[in-house]
Amino acid sequence: MPGKLKVKIVAGRHLPVMDRASDLTDAFVEVKFGNTTFKTDVYLKSLNPQWNSEWFKFEVDDEDLQDEPLQITVLDHDTYSANDAIGKVYIDIDPLLYSEAATVISGWFPIYDTIHGIRGEINVVVKVDLFNDLNRFRQSSCGVKFFCTTSIPKCYRAVIIHGFVEELVVNEDPEYQWIDRIRTPRASNEARQRLISLMSGELQRKIGLKVLEMRGNAVVGYLQCFDLEGESGLVVRAIGTACTLDKLSSPAAFLPACNSPSKEMKESPLVHPPSHGCRSTHNSPIHTATGSRLTQNFSVSVPTLIYTGMGSGSAGKEGGPFKALLRQQTQSALEQREFPFFTLTAFPPGFLVHVGGVVSARSVKLLDRIHNPDEPETRDAWWAEIRQEIKSHAKALGCHAVVGYSESTSICEEVCILSASGTAAVLNPRFLQDGTVEGCLEQRLEENLPAGCGFCHIPYDELNMPFPAHLTYCNNCRKQKVPDVLFTTIDLPVDATVIGKGCLIQARLCRLKKKAQAEANATAISNLLPFMEYEVHTQLMNKLKLKAMNALFGLRIQITVGENMLMGLASATGVYLAALPTPGGIQIAGKTPNDGSYEQHISHMQKKINDTIAKNKELYEINPPEISEEIIGSPIPEPRQRSRLLRSQSESSDEVTELDLSHGKKDAFVLEIDDTDAMEDVHSLLTDVPPPSGFYSCNTEIMPGINNWTSEIQMFTSVRVIRLSSLNLTNQALNKNFNDLCENLLKSLYFKLRSMIPCCLCHVNFTVSLPEDELIQVTVTAVAITFDKNQALQTTKTHAEKLLQRASTDNEELLQFPLELCSDSLPSHPFPPAKAVTVEKASPMGEGNFRNRSAPPCANSTVGVVKMTPLSFIPGAKITKYLGIINMFFIRETTSLREEGGVSGFLHAFIAEVFAMVRAHVAALGGNAVVSYIMKQCVFMENPNKNQAQCLINVSGDAVVFVRESELEVVSTPQPAASCQPSCTGGEVTT
């Protein structure tokens, strides 16, 4: 499908002074696409040139439009010497290739230089004319829409969810080419940026072709990453979920997820997902050298069971034939797919039937063993091996698919750790094939899977469990068995019955390793990995019990490799699921010496643990109602045997008095004290400081138990870098430094956000990296949302009363604790100004410069400042249009680090410039917000001796148009147009 690209250069402003004699600039512009270049006239002696050029026209194929970025270079003309570069702008043309997308890109773009940062702005207009082409052998994928959001986009409904799509492309890194020795740092950085833009476009086009082969029209949950492999090359890879989407025409269907979550989940076909449990095991071999691989299936290693599995037998007294038929339908629907993986974490209602548990695999590879680094075959084989391992784990659990799937890498010199994880699940086949299953099957699905607890029920035969398990009857329906603890990588289901609020739970771990090379290094890492995984899951289990909760959602585990250490960071949102049994307390036990002071110390620690559990129950409002078994009239679960931590070596727990920390007959979670490390674990448990009063935090989009959100939000990104002392480094000292770094980072955020109390930090995303020897970098991105605390208390009481009333009147009715409130509980006033968290210079120009852009009428809700949020929705607003994906890569280098304010000043300025450039591209598309924003990579490298530093940042998100609910009300009422107030006059997103 050939097309014509038209570009017009209008003007520039705030250009830097390039001629010291006149303090002015003789600027002109080069416009390049592919191998064709046009130039504007030189505008003499002005810092605000007005070129008003003619239309530059490029006749190209549509695959070139997808692969190539439009490159605009601003230069200063010199008569007797080479022209001086001012900066560049890269514009992605792909958003103009959708049938529903914008027809023009027009606006002010920051002129970016990799050495000096933003150096003014340039006004550009870009148009594309495409001609119809019926050639079925074409190599373009025009028309396939891409979405970063991991749920079905708000303005669409899912007709079919086809399955997993993946691709990777490889090229030689310009930073390691021979010519890099003689070219300037600016030229090297620009060559790298341009190459990554080309590879990103090519990758997106190839994935789009795979989607077209599946007869889909969209990719949801699109995740693109860059692997900087040094001399081995530069890899750009992406995964996503191919779907067939239909645009919703009804304005009522544009309800955002947290705007009124419960109402949306009932009326809209787009909802958040169910999830399930996990359990950690290490049952696969570790190989090193050329094919070193470490895989593990989280199914058996923590003694207190974390359920993960789904078998093929009957699930209980009812529904056996139905479930067998459902599994058969699902299996046949999935057999046609090469990899039954889904990157979605939120799903349409009824999509998830059962969730088995977390499945994970890791592989240690040597990059110098790649026979042909310029070809992708070797890396494809590596990832295929990982996915096959994940698939086999899911099948072992009796599941046919993996949801909430993600992949990541950690590279240090020639060693690369490949990681993949997801949640094994059984899916409803009617979403996976054309048409729907028989009506009777659909009807029985509704009858046999009660909302609120159906996803918790174990679907396999108890006699053929894939691992030892302690099971009890569901506390809601009392008909099916459930595990005592659940882990999952996906979001909390919207129909889940939750008591109290959730909280962020983190496990942090550091381990030293000897410096080694090649195969010896890979062997050392492979030997450490299973023990690190075990320790991380042990911490998660301990902290979950300390919070008096019984389930984790949104679990994300990172293992990062450095020259002399390994670091692990696990983040999840803990909740109390009403369907699961009440968790017991934590009981300290062990072989104690005949020392009165030691016994007194143990007793004191036991008391502190008991007090902490009681305080957490009060803090998170975990007060499950006592439901009499006589009223329920269902089988009484067998008392569970006492379970212990993996360190347990004896049965001395009987010597300690039983704890009475929960309702019902519950035994305590025994924590064995048999060495100094175990004592350290107990101390680390008690040193975790809860958030200040009025603050809550979670790593999921919605905080469980909070429903009455306001429209006041504040996004922030923070980066901390510390350099460790090389003297007397031990594992204990490393763990303390790492814990202090993360805790101080959270404390600083709470301090800066104190004016927003009560508020919740949602979608908290921690990323840890080891860019250099003895250097630790932690990056966190989150959004703070305020809520009405008084209304939340009234709602909680009302729901608790209803819960008890329903339990006593009808023992067959499901006990459900609603998560969400209706949209009428949300304020309808315009978006209030948000309090600034930190001083942000989002653009070198003032905010007023953004407001000078031509804005559509108020009904289109185009605002001066583009909103940015990691959430897939904007509270108090409706997303009306998706304009395309924003995927940008930036490099910043400096040779005057101290003069720019050190590491903090350099990173702060760079992140603020990234925000400004993202906003400018979204505004030029006609959008007013970026949702599902994520900083996927932030690589910082420093040479303090030479006063030099370099940073690479990769960000992505979905450009959208949103409308405030207040504006919709104004438009729907017969009032003058002047009454339509511009929204979002404040609320600047900050770093």
Side-chain angles (χ1 to χ4, degrees), residues 530-583:
F531 298 100
M532 289 194 64
E533 289 271 9
Y534 162 70
E535 291 291 337
V536 165
H537 281 83
T538 297
Q539 283 190 39
L540 287 174
M541 178 64 75
N542 290 343
K543 292 184 179 182
L544 184 66
K545 294 289 183 179
L546 194 69
K547 300 289 186 182
M549 299 177 182
N550 56 18
L552 290 179
F553 291 91
L555 177 62
R556 179 172 179 250
I557 300 178
Q558 307 169 63
I559 301 292
T560 305
V561 59
E563 291 184 7
N564 62 343
M565 71 180 77
L566 285 173
M567 303 192 74
L569 177 63
S571 302
T573 298
V575 298
Y576 184 102
L577 288 180
L580 302 188
T582 302

Side-chain angles (χ1 to χ4, degrees), residues 791-804:
Q791 189 175 357
L793 291 175
Q794 294 177 357
T795 304
T796 302
K797 292 179 181 178
T798 303
H799 286 321
E801 292 171 358
K802 290 181 179 179
L803 188 67
L804 289 172

Side-chain angles (χ1 to χ4, degrees), residues 587-869:
Q587 180 172 305
I588 299 179
K591 295 180 179 179
T592 58
N594 296 325
D595 186 351
S597 62
Y598 182 82
E599 292 183 0
Q600 186 178 3
H601 180 61
I602 292 292
S603 176
H604 176 68
M605 291 177 62
Q606 181 69 70
K607 184 177 182 302
K608 287 186 69 175
I609 288 177
N610 297 351
D611 293 342
T612 304
I613 293 177
K615 289 178 182 178
N616 285 333
K617 284 187 176 182
E618 181 180 357
L619 174 63
Y620 299 111
E621 303 171 13
I622 301 175
N623 298 305
E626 294 192 33
I627 303 173
S628 172
E629 291 169 355
E630 288 77 11
I631 294 177
I632 297 298
S634 60
I636 301 175
E638 292 292 330
R640 293 185 296 116
Q641 296 297 322
R642 184 169 301 165
S643 56
R644 295 177 296 151
L645 210 61
L646 282 153
R647 256 191 212 97
S648 300
Q649 298 291 336
S650 69
E651 296 297 329
S652 58
S653 58
D654 293 333
E655 300 172 6
V656 184
T657 306
E658 286 282 331
L659 300 179
D660 186 16
L661 296 173
S662 58
H663 300 284
K665 299 178 180 179
K666 278 289 162 189
D667 293 318
F669 182 79
V670 179
L671 203 155
E672 192 81 14
I673 302 297
D674 53 8
D675 55 20
T676 55
D677 286 343
M679 187 65 74
E680 257 184 52
D681 290 343
V682 176
H683 281 296
S684 67
L685 273 179
L686 298 174
T687 53
D688 266 1
V689 181
S693 177
F695 280 105
Y696 298 92
S697 58
C698 65
N699 73 333
T700 53
E701 285 203 341
I702 303 297
M703 164 61 81
I706 299 180
N707 312 289
N708 47 327
W709 304 104
T710 69
S711 55
E712 184 174 356
I713 67 172
Q714 185 75 58
M715 193 197 85
F716 53 86
T717 295
S718 182
V719 180
R720 290 284 178 93
V721 180
I722 63 168
R723 185 172 292 278
L724 302 172
S725 172
S726 58
L727 300 176
N728 300 323
L729 267 184
T730 63
N731 287 333
Q732 290 76 15
L734 271 178
N735 286 328
K736 185 179 184 305
N737 287 332
F738 188 29
N739 272 318
D740 291 345
L741 174 61
C742 294
E743 291 294 337
N744 291 335
L745 184 54
L746 286 173
K747 288 177 183 177
S748 68
L749 296 177
Y750 294 140
F751 178 77
K752 294 172 184 177
L753 293 164
R754 64 193 182 279
S755 59
M756 296 182 67
I757 290 178
C759 80
C760 177
L761 272 61
C762 296
H763 211 288
V764 179
N765 182 24
F766 272 81
T767 303
V768 60
S769 59
L770 300 168
E772 294 179 13
D773 191 16
E774 299 172 359
L775 204 66
I776 300 177
Q777 174 190 314
V778 176
T779 305
V780 59
T781 299
V783 60
I785 314 179
T786 60
F787 62 93
D788 186 346
K789 190 172 183 179
N790 296 327
Q791 189 175 357
L793 291 175
Q794 294 177 357
T795 304
T796 302
K797 292 179 181 178
T798 303
H799 286 321
E801 292 171 358
K802 290 181 179 179
L803 188 67
L804 289 172
Q805 183 179 3
R806 293 172 63 187
S808 60
T809 56
D810 188 359
N811 60 357
E812 294 298 326
E813 189 175 357
L814 297 178
L815 301 180
Q816 187 172 359
F817 197 86
L819 278 177
E820 324 288 357
L821 292 177
C822 297
S823 60
D824 54 9
S825 66
L826 290 170
S828 58
H829 54 77
F831 187 66
K835 285 92 175 172
V837 177
T838 60
V839 179
E840 180 200 9
K841 189 172 75 172
S843 167
M845 296 64 60
E847 183 179 319
N849 290 331
F850 280 103
R851 299 178 186 276
N852 290 336
R853 296 191 185 97
S854 58
C858 184
N860 291 335
S861 186
T862 299
V863 295
V865 178
V866 173
K867 312 308 295 179
M868 297 175 66
T869 173

Side-chain angles (χ1 to χ4, degrees), residues 318-335:
E318 302 178 5
F322 159 74
K323 291 188 176 180
L325 177 59
L326 182 60
R327 277 192 295 272
Q328 185 179 358
Q329 293 261 2
T330 307
Q331 184 66 35
S332 62
L334 289 171
E335 280 176 353

Side-chain angles (χ1 to χ4, degrees), residues 34-52:
N35 297 322
T36 307
T37 304
F38 293 98
K39 294 182 181 181
T40 65
D41 296 332
V42 177
Y43 199 93
L44 299 174
K45 301 189 182 306
S46 175
L47 300 181
N48 299 284
Q50 301 290 324
W51 290 290
N52 288 318

